[in-house]
Amino acid sequence: MTRQETLTIALLPAWALSCCALFPATLDREWLWLAIALATISAIIGTILRRLGLAEFFVKIVQAIPGSVFLYQTVIANPTDLLWETAYYVIEAAPPMEPHDGFRVLTAFALWVFYLILDLLVISFNQVCWSFPILFAPYLISALGILEDVDWWYVCFGAAGFLLVLIGSAKARNPAAGLASLLGLGAAMGVFCLAGSIGLSPLLPNWSVISLNPSSPDAVTLADPSVDIVRNLRRSEARPVLKYAYTSGEAGNGTYLRLAALPVFTSNGFGISPTQLEYVDRDLPGQAGITSTDPVELKVEIGSFVSQYLPLPWGARSVDVTGQWGYDPVNSALVSLDENAGQTTVNLGYELTASPLSWTDEELATRVAGNPADNGLTLSLPAELPESIRSLAESFNAGGPTAGQLLLNMRDWLRSSEFRYSTATQPGTPMDTIEDFLLSSRTGYCEQFAAALAIMARSVGIPSRVVVGFLPGSLSNGIWSVDTHDMHAWTELYLDGLGWIPLDATPGGANPNPTSSPSNTPSVTPSSSTQPSTAPSQSPTATPLPGGQAFNLPGWVPTTGGIVLALGLLLCAPRWTRAIRTRRRLSPRHPLPARVEDCWDELRDRLIDAGQEWPTGTVHQVTETLVAGVFADDEKSSQAVTELALLVEQFRFAKEQPSGDPAALIGKLGLTSKNRWFPRSLFRFRRPPGAHSR
């Protein structure tokens, strides 16, 4: 079996293993089989053409034919539309994505290109180490595209693939190598790669966090909770977030749980505001306008939910929770101040006291717009807002209704049969999307409904903001269970005498105010096939929150991994340097005279690494000393040294060019290094007399 065939046998499964790191991105698996089929055909073509002795340039051209034909047959009919459609699908869809023809085709083609690059680097150019970034590319795509949803162990697919390539390379260089030595090499490299992956993990950026007002010395860094809504709603399988139970007071229909309000509205949509946090211990600042009823007490247990914000009901008075927390008065949120704030909520339990809202639609209809004293923050509208949306909002003012009645009319219109709930929204800018939602398609999910009500309210002078949090969830045996499909957005409006009151304009949404009565305007009842429902459904019985759903490295692990990586690099550097030097000296790509001198130097270094001293004198004198001393009892090594010395003398003194294979003679030497990790030959700063300088 030739070197190229050995490498091909190792390369194909190594590449296929690395492709498995894309599994978290999609439920579809057909892209993998398509890619494997294309890569296998290219591998077979390469093997046959190399057997025939054709040039590598021609081999690569013919290997590119299968994927080119595949792409031509599937894409060429309408390439632009397919590319844009797939791009929008990837941007909008939540991982793991449902099967999609464009994604399947383009992913299979891209992975096939990865295989051709690997074939070029490893087989054509003999650059095995450069296969590392290619084999880890699928994992990086998943990790950077899906962020925290990718389990850490998916990196093992790329690592296992790289180990296969290394083992295949070792076998190709030394066909007589046994299985034990190859597995030993694999185990050593596996430990090194694992330490490296852990050590380098802190260097990856946290794309889910944005910086607010960085010029301000009092600014804090907060995440935008709205970025996860559509991704969580589109998950094919809901993941548990938290459970809560009422320990005192009436449960009613459960409670909405707020994360944060988004009061800033620009051409990029709604977002959080720069803020200064107020340190709190247990009691929370009062919220103006809340009509207190009998307080309720809740016990909450969070699972693997990662957030800077603590889920709280509106009207929370106090909270008993571990860690350091600060109250955000602008966004009405409780924010973690711990060093590892993003992980604070994982497996967190806490108790709280809250005063539920208490108002009726009839009472709301009598209210006028209030002033939240926020310098117009919740009334501002961007200049890019289409005039058609302003006109639409003004149309609800006909007849001069109060601000409260106007809001009820807007809410009920958005919840009517004229609108349809769907997470498949139209692509475009935020302004384009909201205009399409209100005036054209009238199709969207909770963010569009909440934003539409907030924008129309601002257009008629009512302060408003979008809120991100969770629906009440489902009830079972006295325990409310909230999962990722319950993530939600709704609107809060500021009315005189009531303060901030929540309205949910999404069809099928629960009522944020459990004591309010429905308005006289009919509202729709969405079908269960297209809208989320908050009605009780089959859910797990009341059991402790499941643990271990997310693997979260303790803070000391990355630091320790980095130290291990640095020490591993220092430990391996001498051995790798020695191995690279040996490989360069024995390489058949060098001219034969140069290889003869290189092999004579290699003989000297191997002797030194074995704990022996290099004799002084001419080539002939050195040979006699070695044959009579070190190799006196090793006839095979003595013969190899004698033949190598003859080649050196022929090269140096004979007029005719020498012939033979000096590298093969080096392979016959019976020398074993006493310390492969710290070879003595690397630490001799004075070169022995007569040593070659190459």
Side-chain angles (χ1 to χ4, degrees):
M1 184 179 294
T2 65
R3 167 189 162 276
Q4 291 91 340
E5 290 169 357
T6 302
L7 288 174
T8 299
I9 292 175
L11 196 61
L12 193 60
W15 163 83
L17 270 175
S18 72
C19 294
C20 296
L22 286 176
F23 282 174
T26 175
L27 297 173
D28 193 7
R29 297 293 180 264
E30 289 188 24
W31 54 266
L32 178 60
W33 302 118
L34 284 173
I36 289 176
L38 292 173
T40 302
I41 294 173
S42 294
I44 293 173
I45 290 174
T47 301
I48 295 174
L49 296 183
R50 288 177 179 124
R51 273 281 185 177
L52 296 176
L54 299 179
E56 278 295 319
F57 176 75
F58 182 76
V59 172
K60 304 314 296 182
I61 292 178
V62 180
Q63 279 186 309
I65 292 177
S68 302
V69 173
F70 169 75
L71 190 67
Y72 179 85
Q73 294 292 334
T74 55
V75 179
I76 200 64
N78 205 349
T80 304
D81 288 350
L82 179 64
L83 290 173
W84 279 111
E85 179 188 346
T86 304
Y88 283 132
Y89 172 77
V90 172
I91 292 172
E92 292 289 338
M97 296 179 287
E98 297 292 336
H100 182 272
D101 291 340
F103 180 82
R104 181 185 305 124
V105 168
L106 296 179
T107 302
F109 180 78
L111 293 176
W112 169 77
V113 172
F114 280 3
Y115 175 78
L116 289 188
I117 296 175
L118 282 172
D119 186 281
L120 179 69
L121 293 173
V122 176
I123 300 179
S124 301
F125 294 158
N126 197 27
Q127 299 295 320
V128 175
C129 290
W130 282 105
S131 66
F132 180 86
I134 306 300
L135 291 169
F136 276 81
Y139 171 75
L140 290 177
I141 292 172
S142 292
L144 296 179
I146 309 176
L147 304 174
E148 71 273 9
D149 291 325
V150 178
D151 292 320
W152 67 272
W153 51 264
Y154 275 99
V155 75
C156 295
F157 287 114
F162 187 55
L163 292 181
L164 274 179
V165 174
L166 292 178
I167 292 173
S169 177
K171 184 68 175 177
R173 291 197 310 269
N174 184 12
L179 180 61
S181 63
L182 294 176
L183 291 179
L185 170 66
M189 289 302 300
V191 173
F192 176 76
C193 290
L194 180 59
S197 63
I198 296 176
L200 293 176
S201 62
L203 302 181
L204 291 177
N206 185 357
W207 301 101
S208 64
V209 175
I210 62 176
S211 179
L212 296 179
N213 196 15
S215 62
S216 170
D218 297 320
V220 297
T221 300
L222 298 178
D224 186 344
S226 65
V227 299
D228 289 329
I229 292 181
V230 70
R231 182 173 63 177
N232 284 320
L233 293 177
R234 287 176 175 168
R235 290 186 188 276
S236 58
E237 182 177 346
R239 299 182 183 181
V241 173
L242 60 85
K243 297 177 185 288
Y244 66 93
Y246 285 82
T247 57
S248 175
E250 295 185 6
N253 295 323
T255 181
Y256 276 51
L257 295 170
R258 304 170 82 260
L259 291 176
L262 311 178
V264 177
F265 180 43
T266 67
S267 59
N268 294 321
F270 283 88
I272 53 181
S273 170
T275 185
Q276 294 181 356
L277 298 180
E278 301 174 3
Y279 290 89
V280 295
D281 182 15
R282 178 183 175 92
D283 295 332
L284 302 179
Q287 294 158 336
I290 292 180
T291 302
S292 298
T293 61
D294 293 334
V296 296
E297 297 179 356
L298 282 76
K299 183 176 182 180
V300 184
E301 294 183 19
I302 302 178
S304 58
F305 177 58
V306 178
S307 173
Q308 285 181 282
Y309 303 97
L310 191 69
L312 292 174
W314 183 244
R317 291 180 174 179
S318 63
V319 58
D320 185 6
V321 61
T322 58
Q324 292 184 314
W325 298 86
Y327 181 72
D328 175 2
V330 177
N331 304 309
S332 300
L334 200 59
V335 183
S336 174
L337 301 177
D338 289 341
E339 182 178 354
N340 193 15
Q343 301 292 325
T344 303
T345 57
V346 176
N347 298 325
L348 179 67
Y350 55 99
E351 298 180 0
L352 63 92
T353 302
S355 296
L357 295 174
S358 179
W359 48 265
T360 63
D361 283 1
E362 286 74 14
E363 183 180 4
L364 180 64
T366 64
R367 300 291 177 164
V368 298
N371 180 12
D374 56 9
N375 295 320
L377 176 66
T378 52
L379 275 174
S380 64
L381 293 168
E384 295 85 353
L385 183 69
E387 188 61 35
S388 55
I389 295 180
R390 299 175 188 264
S391 300
L392 173 65
E394 289 291 344
S395 68
F396 284 89
N397 248 335
T402 63
Q405 185 60 56
L406 190 149
L407 291 175
L408 292 174
N409 294 342
M410 290 179 176
R411 179 200 65 181
D412 293 339
W413 177 64
L414 290 169
R415 298 184 67 152
S416 71
S417 58
E418 294 189 37
F419 287 84
R420 186 173 66 90
Y421 184 96
S422 173
T423 57
T425 58
Q426 293 294 321
T429 67
M431 293 296 104
D432 293 337
T433 301
I434 198 66
E435 185 176 25
D436 172 80
F437 171 75
L438 283 172
L439 303 173
S440 181
S441 68
R442 292 186 176 174
T443 299
Y445 61 102
C446 58
E447 270 195 279
Q448 274 78 46
F449 284 95
L453 180 56
I455 293 170
M456 290 193 296
R458 291 191 183 196
S459 298
V460 294
I462 304 174
S464 64
R465 61 192 185 188
V466 172
V467 181
V468 177
F470 294 95
L471 292 167
S474 57
L475 177 64
S476 177
N477 297 331
I479 304 292
W480 291 86
S481 300
V482 177
D483 58 39
T484 51
H485 284 177
D486 291 316
M487 197 166 192
H488 195 53
W490 60 95
T491 315
E492 287 180 351
L493 301 309
Y494 198 90
L495 296 178
D496 186 51
L498 290 178
W500 288 109
I501 58 100
L503 284 180
D504 191 350
T506 304
N511 194 342
N513 173 30
T515 64
S516 70
S517 60
S519 65
N520 296 328
T521 309
S523 61
V524 302
T525 302
S527 65
S528 59
S529 61
T530 57
Q531 276 81 13
S533 172
T534 59
S537 60
Q538 292 184 354
S539 60
T541 57
T543 57
L545 284 176
Q549 295 180 15
F551 183 83
N552 300 298
L553 289 174
W556 58 268
V557 173
T559 303
T560 305
I563 296 174
V564 171
L565 174 61
L567 293 177
L569 287 173
L570 291 175
L571 179 66
C572 295
R575 180 169 182 172
W576 287 354
T577 302
R578 181 70 179 90
I580 293 172
R581 177 183 291 181
T582 298
R583 183 173 180 180
R584 186 195 65 197
R585 287 170 171 172
L586 304 183
S587 173
R589 290 181 292 181
H590 297 151
L592 181 58
R595 275 191 289 144
V596 170
E597 291 288 358
D598 285 341
C599 289
W600 186 251
D601 286 348
E602 181 65 22
L603 168 63
R604 180 202 67 233
D605 286 354
R606 291 198 179 192
L607 191 72
I608 294 172
D609 291 341
Q612 305 295 327
E613 293 298 327
W614 180 254
T616 58
T618 65
V619 173
H620 182 70
Q621 291 171 336
V622 169
T623 303
E624 287 185 339
T625 302
L626 294 178
V627 170
V630 178
F631 300 119
D633 298 326
D634 188 347
E635 182 178 353
K636 182 178 179 181
S637 296
S638 297
Q639 182 66 27
V641 171
T642 302
E643 293 181 16
L644 180 59
L646 181 60
L647 286 175
V648 173
E649 290 181 328
Q650 288 177 348
F651 168 71
R652 293 181 179 179
F653 307 112
K655 294 182 180 181
E656 298 180 359
Q657 290 292 319
S659 61
D661 186 1
L665 297 176
I666 292 295
K668 296 178 181 179
L669 297 176
L671 293 172
T672 303
S673 176
K674 284 194 171 183
N675 192 335
R676 294 186 177 183
W677 294 103
F678 297 97
R680 288 182 62 210
S681 60
L682 290 181
F683 303 97
R684 291 178 62 90
F685 300 104
R686 294 181 58 191
R687 300 183 65 81
H692 179 51
S693 61
R694 179 180 174 81

